[in-house]
């Protein structure tokens, strides 16, 4: 069974930044497409960003373009979601997922809470 673990969530003021981390002990993340999704209370889960393996092409939802970036640290076997200029509407549980190619992701983590509030 694949285990993905998200970390880095928390409470931040509007305009602030957070960096989420996705780690796995039983997958070499560089071999997989890694995506981030989020689910706010009462709303459906939505894709936020995804980065393919190999060419490293990345996709971002329109709502986060220019504010969020996604990157890999292969030495640490981690994928990061850097979130800047956070807005209250970014409040959600954020999940990372791995798969063969974006957006077909098969393995999911348990999520980390991000709350943007003053």
């Amino acid at each position: 069974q694949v285990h993905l673990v998200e970390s880095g969530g928390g409470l931040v003021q509007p305009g602030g930044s957070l960096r989420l981390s996705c780690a796995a002990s039983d997958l070499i993340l560089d071999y997989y497409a890694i995506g981030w999704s989020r689910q706010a209370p009462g709303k459906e889960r939505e894709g936020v960003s995804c980065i393919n393996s190999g060419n490293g092409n990345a996709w971002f939802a329109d709502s986060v373009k220019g504010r969020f970036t996604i990157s890999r640290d292969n030495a640490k076997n981690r994928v990061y979601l850097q979130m800047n200029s956070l807005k209250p509407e970014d409040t959600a549980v954020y999940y990372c997922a791995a798969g063969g190619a974006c957006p077909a992701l098969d393995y999911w983590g348990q999520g980390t809470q991000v709350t943007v509030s003053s």
Side-chain angles (χ1 to χ4, degrees), residues 98-110:
C102 301
L105 304 175
D106 304 305
Y107 310 111
W108 291 82
Q110 295 300 306

Side-chain angles (χ1 to χ4, degrees), residues 42-60:
K43 295 187 177 181
E44 293 186 355
R45 189 175 296 191
E46 62 171 348
V48 173
S49 181
C50 195
I51 184 168
N52 278 310
S53 63
N55 60 25
N57 286 345
W59 168 87
F60 295 90

Side-chain angles (χ1 to χ4, degrees), residues 4-9 19-23 29 33-39 45-51 59-61 64 68-71 78-83 93-98 102 105 108-109 111-112 114:
L4 297 176
V5 179
E6 303 92 339
S7 61
R19 188 179 74 164
L20 305 184
S21 175
C22 178
L29 296 183
I34 305 296
W36 288 93
S37 298
R38 66 187 181 186
Q39 188 165 20
R45 189 175 296 191
E46 62 171 348
V48 173
S49 181
C50 195
I51 184 168
W59 168 87
F60 295 90
V64 306
F68 290 12
T69 58
I70 189 169
S71 61
R78 290 177 182 256
V79 174
Y80 299 107
L81 184 70
Q82 178 68 43
M83 307 187 296
V93 178
Y94 283 70
Y95 301 88
C96 73
C102 301
L105 304 175
W108 291 82
T112 185
V114 171

